[in-house]
Every structure is written in structure tokens, then in C-alpha cells.
Amino acid sequence: MHGEKNKFYFKPGFLGHDDLAQLYASVDCCVSASTFETFGYTAIEAMACGTPFLGPRAQGYRDTVQHNKGGYLFDAKDITSAAHYLELMIEEKAELFPIERVLSNTDEFTAEACVKRTLAAYEVAKESRHTKSLFMSYVKAVLLFPPRVFLALCCVPIMFGFMLLMEMPVWYDQCCTYKKVHASLRVLVNESRPLFIDLPKSVRER
């Protein structure tokens, strides 16, 4: 099929940005049958050069190509619809898709516009995460309050018992000291009593 007879040309290889832009601008339309595109970069490149794009209504192309403005989108399984749109592009391109109209489809996909949308998406995600984090912190505080109160109530008698254990040696030492002092006093009293008894009655009465 390749050649001038069928007007079908295919030359595999890579092109630089300048050559690629010239190629996009020189064709009647850019067509893709891929049903999986993460962004639709091919469509953006073609429309940025003023060339309308024809592709399936799939992810990536749905986000970048506005139907009847930057090109046409057809159902992936509807070949008749794709052939009809392709025929319109080739025969009525000048009326249906003037260059200014096609170029306006790419206004939302300039570097500045993409950066703004990306930052806005990050702000939304950040706000959502902050709100979720704040809500979860409240839920966590409510759920942890009863266990914390129970733990505090359990710790009070434990701490009191621990304090008693710490004070027991002091109390024992004080008791021992008291017993020693009491015993010493009793010895002194017992030793002084006979001397007091042996004194004369006149002295004792004094």
C-alpha cells in the first residue's frame, strides 16, 4: 500500500520538534485508534499546529479534545462513525475546523495553565488531607479518653502502694529507734531506783 499509487506513505523513524511540527501542519488531520492514552499528547501536538484530531472517545483524548472544536471523537467500536468523521475532515476541513478554532482548543493546555491546574489539585488534596487528619485526631481523642481514664484510676492505688513500700524502711527504722530509747530509759529507771530507796526517810521526804 505504501507509495504514490495509493497515496499512502509510511516511513518509520524519529523526527525532531521542528520537523514534527512541520509534518503536523502539512497534513489534513491527525488520526489515532488507540483506546488507552494517559494524556493524549499526540492530539495536543497536532492541534497546537492547527491540525484537527480524530480519535476514539477514550481516556486521555476525552480530556484534551473538545468534540466539534479541536476535532472529532468517535466510539471505539463504531468504525462507521470514524469513517464518517474522517470524510468530513478531509472534504470540509476549511469550513469545519479553521486554524484559529483548532488552536483555541489548546489554550487550556499551555505550560502555565497546566501548572495552575496542578497546583490547584494539590491544594484540594492538601485541604482534604488536613480535614481528614483533623477529623481523625478528634475521633482518636474520643476513643482514647476512656482507656486513659481507666489507666489513671488504676495507677493511683499502684502509686500509693509504691509510696508505702518506699516509706516502710523509714517507719521500721523509727520503730527500732523508739524501742531502743524506751529500753534505755527503763534501764536507767531500774538502776536509779535502788539508790532512791536506800536514802534516809527524811531525805526522801524532801
Side-chain angles (χ1 to χ4, degrees), residues 58-76:
Q59 74 176 54
Y61 294 143
R62 291 179 302 184
D63 300 327
T64 55
V65 181
Q66 297 185 37
H67 191 70
N68 287 326
K69 183 178 181 181
Y72 288 130
L73 295 174
F74 61 89
D75 294 332

Side-chain angles (χ1 to χ4, degrees), residues 8-78:
F8 185 82
Y9 301 95
F10 178 75
K11 183 179 180 180
F14 295 95
L15 296 175
H17 290 290
D18 295 337
D19 294 336
L20 187 60
Q22 184 178 358
L23 180 62
Y24 274 127
S26 64
V27 298
D28 294 320
C29 62
C30 179
V31 181
S32 175
S34 174
T35 58
F36 181 82
E37 292 291 336
T38 56
F39 179 67
Y41 200 73
T42 304
I44 293 294
E45 288 180 335
M47 292 184 295
C49 296
T51 301
F53 180 82
L54 175 62
R57 190 175 287 103
Q59 74 176 54
Y61 294 143
R62 291 179 302 184
D63 300 327
T64 55
V65 181
Q66 297 185 37
H67 191 70
N68 287 326
K69 183 178 181 181
Y72 288 130
L73 295 174
F74 61 89
D75 294 332
K77 297 181 179 180
D78 190 356

Side-chain angles (χ1 to χ4, degrees), residues 28 85-96:
D28 294 320
Y85 286 135
L86 181 60
E87 184 178 358
L88 287 176
M89 280 185 169
I90 294 175
E91 295 180 356
E92 303 179 26
K93 174 185 176 182
E95 294 78 12
L96 295 175

Side-chain angles (χ1 to χ4, degrees), residues 1 8 42 52 65 68 72 146-148 153 171-172 203:
M1 294 181 64
F8 185 82
T42 304
V65 181
N68 287 326
Y72 288 130
R148 286 175 177 175
L153 293 176
W171 295 344
Y172 177 76
V203 175

